[in-house]
Amino acid sequence: MYIVYADDQLLYAPTMVHEGYAISKTKMKQELNKAGSFQFLLPPNNVKYNSLTKMKTIITVYDDEEEIFRGRILYDEKDFYQRKQIYCEGHMAFLNDTILRPFEFTGGIVAFLTMIINNHNSQVEAEKQFVLGNVTVVDNNNYINRSSIKYMTTWDVIEQKLIDTHGGYIRIRKGQNCYYLDYLESYNSINDQVVEFGKNLIDLTEYVTAEKLFTCLIPLGVTLDEETGEKLTIKSVNNNLDYIQNNTAISLFGKIWTTHEWEDVTIASNLLTKANAYLNECIELAVSLNINAVDLHLLDVNTSSIKLGDSVRVVSVPHGLDKYFLCSKVNMNLQSPDETEYTLGVSFKTLTDQQMDIQKKTN
């Protein structure tokens, strides 16, 4: 059962709609490395109708006792019947409220994130602050160089100076008395539910994001000569070739070239490793599935509910599918859960691959 609070006071409960705690047309969107959103229609007879403040009121959504959304009201609009269309953005958007002044940094990823979060917390109220949680993204050199002459938002720093170079996912996680900010290489969460044609799979659409697709990559590392601008390449460790390619993707889409820079990589072999991971990840990101499925958790409480970041097995004989996909986006209708849509893609690893990855991390 979904329950909604506004500043820790009840806003919606399905068993109390006739007592002034009704909302309608609820839609929640969650996406990897995005703030997410929650929107709903607020009728004039709701007890909190005149108590919600834009950019200030904190809205939280619970699935039984589990918090599944927390954010602030971004804007509202009244319709002809005086109902308010409320739009909320997730609390990851708080990272857009603060500025990191021009900086130079050398050190590890954990130290860099600590500096970023401490700076963010010094500029905002307590309810917008975060505590650094789990960091599983690593750098081969355990040493990065980052700088900027611009005044950047905290989120832009994280996105441009970490995610764009090292990949991974930012996750906000509720603790006992705080909210943790995790930086994860992978969620490592394998869902035991199977999305299967003829059972709970309603619709499946495969699409390719062509504007971000490339099949050949020229990776560049640290600048070797400031005067000429010469950069480290992979030629010395890649049969004298300064590029890599994915032959399977080329057979499907042709040769599409791009470059990518890792300004802190100083060793050619490390550059080649990062380049291979980046090429494969970007190809996988470009191919995804839109799945419309019934969450079997609604029918059986012993079945795990599909969550953002889960690896989910999709089986569809007519489509020739039996693979694990990463749940990268969820569009949820709280009052009609059977209309929830899942976007599965990003990772095409098999269950065995996932288990081996987890075992390696454990060891």
mmCIF file of all heavy atoms in Angstrom, residues 28 75 114 137 203 208 210 215 224 236 266 272 284 289 298 313 342:
data_model
loop_
_atom_site.group_PDB
_atom_site.id
_atom_site.type_symbol
_atom_site.label_atom_id
_atom_site.label_comp_id
_atom_site.label_asym_id
_atom_site.label_seq_id
_atom_site.Cartn_x
_atom_site.Cartn_y
_atom_site.Cartn_z
ATOM 1 N N MET A 28 5.161 8.264 -10.887
ATOM 2 C CA MET A 28 6.514 8.381 -10.349
ATOM 3 C C MET A 28 7.498 7.852 -11.378
ATOM 4 O O MET A 28 7.303 6.770 -11.935
ATOM 5 C CB MET A 28 6.652 7.612 -9.039
ATOM 6 C CG MET A 28 8.008 7.790 -8.364
ATOM 7 S SD MET A 28 8.062 7.052 -6.720
ATOM 8 C CE MET A 28 7.938 5.319 -7.144
ATOM 9 N N TYR A 75 6.911 22.711 -8.957
ATOM 10 C CA TYR A 75 5.890 23.659 -9.397
ATOM 11 C C TYR A 75 4.509 23.023 -9.285
ATOM 12 O O TYR A 75 4.373 21.809 -9.135
ATOM 13 C CB TYR A 75 6.136 24.154 -10.826
ATOM 14 C CG TYR A 75 6.069 23.100 -11.891
ATOM 15 C CD1 TYR A 75 4.858 22.676 -12.433
ATOM 16 C CD2 TYR A 75 7.233 22.524 -12.401
ATOM 17 C CE1 TYR A 75 4.792 21.717 -13.416
ATOM 18 C CE2 TYR A 75 7.179 21.561 -13.396
ATOM 19 C CZ TYR A 75 5.958 21.161 -13.899
ATOM 20 O OH TYR A 75 5.896 20.206 -14.872
ATOM 21 N N THR A 114 34.462 13.237 -0.918
ATOM 22 C CA THR A 114 34.355 13.822 0.425
ATOM 23 C C THR A 114 34.425 15.338 0.360
ATOM 24 O O THR A 114 33.645 16.046 1.003
ATOM 25 C CB THR A 114 35.471 13.275 1.335
ATOM 26 O OG1 THR A 114 35.343 11.851 1.450
ATOM 27 C CG2 THR A 114 35.383 13.890 2.727
ATOM 28 N N VAL A 137 33.364 2.378 -7.090
ATOM 29 C CA VAL A 137 34.077 2.749 -8.308
ATOM 30 C C VAL A 137 35.526 3.015 -7.943
ATOM 31 O O VAL A 137 35.812 3.765 -6.994
ATOM 32 C CB VAL A 137 33.458 3.997 -8.963
ATOM 33 C CG1 VAL A 137 34.272 4.431 -10.173
ATOM 34 C CG2 VAL A 137 32.012 3.716 -9.385
ATOM 35 N N ASP A 203 3.992 -6.085 -22.998
ATOM 36 C CA ASP A 203 4.455 -5.456 -24.239
ATOM 37 C C ASP A 203 5.962 -5.311 -24.183
ATOM 38 O O ASP A 203 6.549 -5.156 -23.102
ATOM 39 C CB ASP A 203 3.795 -4.090 -24.423
ATOM 40 C CG ASP A 203 4.059 -3.509 -25.810
ATOM 41 O OD1 ASP A 203 4.304 -4.293 -26.735
ATOM 42 O OD2 ASP A 203 4.038 -2.279 -25.955
ATOM 43 N N VAL A 208 17.008 1.572 -30.470
ATOM 44 C CA VAL A 208 18.419 1.945 -30.489
ATOM 45 C C VAL A 208 18.527 3.462 -30.450
ATOM 46 O O VAL A 208 17.909 4.161 -31.249
ATOM 47 C CB VAL A 208 19.113 1.418 -31.767
ATOM 48 C CG1 VAL A 208 20.566 1.866 -31.808
ATOM 49 C CG2 VAL A 208 19.005 -0.095 -31.840
ATOM 50 N N ALA A 210 20.386 6.070 -31.563
ATOM 51 C CA ALA A 210 21.419 6.208 -32.582
ATOM 52 C C ALA A 210 22.321 7.417 -32.366
ATOM 53 O O ALA A 210 23.500 7.398 -32.711
ATOM 54 C CB ALA A 210 20.778 6.282 -33.973
ATOM 55 N N THR A 215 30.829 2.724 -32.713
ATOM 56 C CA THR A 215 31.358 1.363 -32.751
ATOM 57 C C THR A 215 32.882 1.320 -32.805
ATOM 58 O O THR A 215 33.477 0.264 -32.637
ATOM 59 C CB THR A 215 30.788 0.617 -33.967
ATOM 60 O OG1 THR A 215 31.118 1.342 -35.164
ATOM 61 C CG2 THR A 215 29.267 0.491 -33.860
ATOM 62 N N LEU A 224 51.112 14.438 -23.167
ATOM 63 C CA LEU A 224 52.538 14.127 -23.058
ATOM 64 C C LEU A 224 53.411 15.334 -23.371
ATOM 65 O O LEU A 224 54.513 15.469 -22.838
ATOM 66 C CB LEU A 224 52.902 12.974 -24.004
ATOM 67 C CG LEU A 224 52.141 11.659 -23.785
ATOM 68 C CD1 LEU A 224 52.514 10.647 -24.875
ATOM 69 C CD2 LEU A 224 52.448 11.093 -22.405
ATOM 70 N N SER A 236 51.012 1.482 -28.354
ATOM 71 C CA SER A 236 52.111 0.645 -27.858
ATOM 72 C C SER A 236 51.625 -0.677 -27.280
ATOM 73 O O SER A 236 52.408 -1.627 -27.127
ATOM 74 C CB SER A 236 52.916 1.406 -26.796
ATOM 75 O OG SER A 236 52.103 1.720 -25.674
ATOM 76 N N THR A 266 47.834 7.685 -17.208
ATOM 77 C CA THR A 266 49.231 7.894 -17.620
ATOM 78 C C THR A 266 49.889 6.631 -18.166
ATOM 79 O O THR A 266 51.029 6.675 -18.614
ATOM 80 C CB THR A 266 50.054 8.392 -16.419
ATOM 81 O OG1 THR A 266 49.980 7.428 -15.357
ATOM 82 C CG2 THR A 266 49.514 9.724 -15.902
ATOM 83 N N LEU A 272 43.879 1.326 -22.317
ATOM 84 C CA LEU A 272 43.220 0.314 -23.137
ATOM 85 C C LEU A 272 42.107 -0.378 -22.355
ATOM 86 O O LEU A 272 41.013 -0.616 -22.887
ATOM 87 C CB LEU A 272 44.244 -0.719 -23.612
ATOM 88 C CG LEU A 272 43.702 -1.869 -24.474
ATOM 89 C CD1 LEU A 272 43.046 -1.342 -25.740
ATOM 90 C CD2 LEU A 272 44.824 -2.857 -24.814
ATOM 91 N N GLU A 284 26.018 -0.935 -25.197
ATOM 92 C CA GLU A 284 24.897 -1.514 -24.470
ATOM 93 C C GLU A 284 23.880 -0.449 -24.070
ATOM 94 O O GLU A 284 22.672 -0.688 -24.093
ATOM 95 C CB GLU A 284 25.418 -2.253 -23.230
ATOM 96 C CG GLU A 284 26.205 -3.504 -23.576
ATOM 97 C CD GLU A 284 26.872 -4.142 -22.377
ATOM 98 O OE1 GLU A 284 26.934 -3.490 -21.312
ATOM 99 O OE2 GLU A 284 27.329 -5.282 -22.492
ATOM 100 N N LEU A 289 15.421 -2.006 -23.927
ATOM 101 C CA LEU A 289 14.075 -2.520 -24.105
ATOM 102 C C LEU A 289 13.103 -1.713 -23.267
ATOM 103 O O LEU A 289 13.410 -1.345 -22.134
ATOM 104 C CB LEU A 289 13.992 -3.986 -23.660
ATOM 105 C CG LEU A 289 14.894 -5.005 -24.344
ATOM 106 C CD1 LEU A 289 14.725 -6.352 -23.665
ATOM 107 C CD2 LEU A 289 14.555 -5.110 -25.800
ATOM 108 N N LEU A 298 2.989 -7.847 -6.810
ATOM 109 C CA LEU A 298 1.623 -7.422 -6.484
ATOM 110 C C LEU A 298 0.719 -8.619 -6.207
ATOM 111 O O LEU A 298 -0.280 -8.501 -5.497
ATOM 112 C CB LEU A 298 1.041 -6.593 -7.635
ATOM 113 C CG LEU A 298 1.810 -5.332 -8.021
ATOM 114 C CD1 LEU A 298 1.242 -4.740 -9.305
ATOM 115 C CD2 LEU A 298 1.767 -4.313 -6.897
ATOM 116 N N ARG A 313 15.823 -10.953 -15.285
ATOM 117 C CA ARG A 313 15.814 -11.914 -16.386
ATOM 118 C C ARG A 313 14.556 -11.707 -17.228
ATOM 119 O O ARG A 313 13.436 -11.687 -16.700
ATOM 120 C CB ARG A 313 15.860 -13.339 -15.858
ATOM 121 C CG ARG A 313 15.977 -14.395 -16.959
ATOM 122 C CD ARG A 313 15.943 -15.791 -16.366
ATOM 123 N NE ARG A 313 15.965 -16.817 -17.414
ATOM 124 C CZ ARG A 313 15.677 -18.090 -17.196
ATOM 125 N NH1 ARG A 313 15.368 -18.498 -15.970
ATOM 126 N NH2 ARG A 313 15.699 -18.954 -18.186
ATOM 127 N N TYR A 342 8.730 -0.615 -17.292
ATOM 128 C CA TYR A 342 10.143 -0.749 -16.942
ATOM 129 C C TYR A 342 10.995 -0.627 -18.199
ATOM 130 O O TYR A 342 10.676 -1.206 -19.232
ATOM 131 C CB TYR A 342 10.406 -2.110 -16.287
ATOM 132 C CG TYR A 342 9.568 -2.378 -15.062
ATOM 133 C CD1 TYR A 342 8.353 -3.057 -15.164
ATOM 134 C CD2 TYR A 342 9.974 -1.942 -13.811
ATOM 135 C CE1 TYR A 342 7.570 -3.291 -14.051
ATOM 136 C CE2 TYR A 342 9.192 -2.172 -12.685
ATOM 137 C CZ TYR A 342 7.992 -2.847 -12.810
ATOM 138 O OH TYR A 342 7.215 -3.076 -11.703
#
